[in-house]
Amino acid sequence: MPACPAERPNPDELLAHRLTELIVAVGAGDRVAFTELYRLTSHRVFGLALRMLGNRFTAEEVTQEVYLQTWVLAERYDAAMSTPMGWLMMLTHRRSVDRIRIERSATDREIAFGQLHLDQDRDVVLEEVEQIQDEQEVLRCLDALTPLQRETISLAYYGGRTYSEVAEHLGAPVPTVKTRIRDGLKRLADCLLGSGPK
């Protein structure tokens, strides 16, 4: 006898339950779970980043940063506080806002907001990383970067500098600095996810 509609499982609830299981597994270091979580949710994360940033290349960078952040923060996820997608959307929104603020500061230093908050332009990912127990693993992976990647990321994320300031400090074009940061973050994520330094 077929189940009545009220007894049929809600697809959204089933997905939320599965995503919760995956995030818990990721928090325990499960790389297979991370891959499945990415497969099931990355289109939503990228979609929000693209809507907020209006640039496909930048949205791809932010998506990558969000999943690096997901890897290091998954063990802190609290299902009582947010749904899995709600949590990922919150991380994406914060990273996108942070990127908008950095870009705005780089292009218009006279904006009052930029002047007030320039010293706060630190990446949420690395601020959280500093606080987690596996900090030594992150430092090991930072050592796996090339010297240029490590210096560029350190200036941008630990030094709180905008892309333009990093470019000026290194005597390199802004696009080159962005590429080094993007490649460095990808290499860092690969290391943290177990691919190891290349």
Side-chain angles (χ1 to χ4, degrees), residues 49-56 59:
L50 183 60
R51 285 195 300 276
M52 292 185 67
L53 297 164
N55 180 285
R56 188 174 189 87

Side-chain angles (χ1 to χ4, degrees), residues 21-177:
E21 290 178 336
L22 291 172
I23 292 174
V24 170
V26 170
D30 187 332
R31 298 183 184 94
V32 174
F34 181 83
T35 300
E36 185 177 351
L37 179 69
Y38 180 88
R39 181 179 60 80
L40 291 174
T41 62
S42 59
H43 64 289
R44 294 275 305 276
V45 168
F46 174 75
L48 176 58
L50 183 60
R51 285 195 300 276
M52 292 185 67
L53 297 164
N55 180 285
R56 188 174 189 87
F57 180 77
T58 307
E60 288 173 351
E61 289 184 328
V62 166
T63 298
Q64 189 174 78
E65 293 167 7
V66 166
Y67 283 97
L68 174 60
Q69 189 175 9
T70 300
W71 176 258
V72 299
L73 296 181
E75 65 180 353
R76 296 184 181 183
Y77 171 69
D78 184 353
M81 299 293 292
S82 174
T83 65
M85 281 311 309
W87 184 64
L88 287 170
M89 292 295 96
M90 178 269 295
L91 294 179
T92 306
H93 184 269
R94 286 182 179 174
R95 287 299 305 123
S96 298
V97 168
D98 189 54
R99 179 60 66 92
I100 291 167
R101 184 177 27 174
I102 290 172
E103 295 292 343
R104 183 178 296 159
S105 295
T107 56
D108 188 357
R109 300 185 186 285
E110 299 307 314
I111 295 177
F113 183 86
Q115 292 296 322
L116 290 172
H117 297 278
L118 198 58
D119 62 339
Q120 298 176 10
D121 285 340
R122 291 172 55 100
D123 188 1
V124 175
V125 175
L126 294 181
E127 287 179 354
E128 293 289 354
V129 165
E130 291 170 354
Q131 300 171 16
I132 62 174
Q133 293 181 346
D134 60 349
E135 181 178 355
Q136 292 303 314
E137 178 69 11
V138 175
L139 293 176
R140 180 186 71 78
C141 288
L142 282 172
D143 285 340
L145 304 180
T146 67
L148 281 174
Q149 287 172 340
R150 187 164 54 249
E151 181 181 15
T152 305
I153 287 175
S154 294
L155 287 169
Y157 293 96
Y158 287 115
R161 303 189 189 199
T162 65
Y163 290 145
S164 294
E165 288 173 328
V166 173
E168 183 178 350
H169 179 84
L170 297 177
V174 172
T176 299
V177 166

